[in-house]
Amino acid sequence: MVSRPTVLIVEDNYLLLEMLTHLCEQEGIAVLAASSGEAALTMLRDGRTAIDWLFTDINLPGLIDGWTVAAAYRERHPRRPVIYASTQPQLERRTVPGSLYVRKPFQIREILGLARMMAAESANPEGMRAAG
């Protein structure tokens, strides 16, 4: 049995978090959901579940923002993809190789397409390694 790819979604807007979780699960993607940077870091440090990619809002409540969450994720998984989301225009100086940036409000079909792409890449890691 092939395991499902897993995404960690970090989003402080509860309705958006629920919608993204539901859409990913419909695509066969397992979801870990966090509504704050602190909760996301706890999940990353726990390490009980392999996380194939990260979707994080940049502006999170509390002391830990999305940049910090992504940096912690990248320490453990330097080659796995990260999708950043924000209402702010993309800050070029913060762009991280191997990441994508989506500006809120985004089209759900855009995120669904990204989820499908990430799921396909997670299911075929040999293809990614052969290209690298």
Side-chain angles (χ1 to χ4, degrees), residues 37-60:
E38 290 82 358
L41 287 182
T42 298
M43 288 179 187
L44 288 172
R45 289 184 181 133
D46 175 25
R48 281 188 268 159
T49 304
I51 300 169
D52 298 297
W53 54 286
L54 171 68
F55 181 100
T56 185
D57 186 2
I58 292 170
N59 300 309
L60 297 167

Side-chain angles (χ1 to χ4, degrees), residues 11-13 16 55 57 85-88 102-106:
E11 172 58 59
D12 62 313
N13 178 310
L16 184 55
F55 181 100
D57 186 2
S86 178
T87 56
Q88 303 299 315
V102 293
R103 185 155 180 203
K104 293 178 179 180
F106 45 74

Side-chain angles (χ1 to χ4, degrees), residues 14-57:
Y14 179 76
L15 291 175
L16 184 55
L17 180 61
E18 285 294 308
M19 185 172 52
L20 290 170
T21 297
H22 180 72
L23 288 172
C24 286
E25 288 175 344
Q26 281 186 322
E27 290 298 311
I29 300 167
V31 176
L32 295 174
S35 60
S36 70
E38 290 82 358
L41 287 182
T42 298
M43 288 179 187
L44 288 172
R45 289 184 181 133
D46 175 25
R48 281 188 268 159
T49 304
I51 300 169
D52 298 297
W53 54 286
L54 171 68
F55 181 100
T56 185
D57 186 2

Side-chain angles (χ1 to χ4, degrees), residues 1 8 29 41 65 77 97:
M1 181 175 130
L8 171 56
I29 300 167
L41 287 182
D65 63 8
H77 311 291

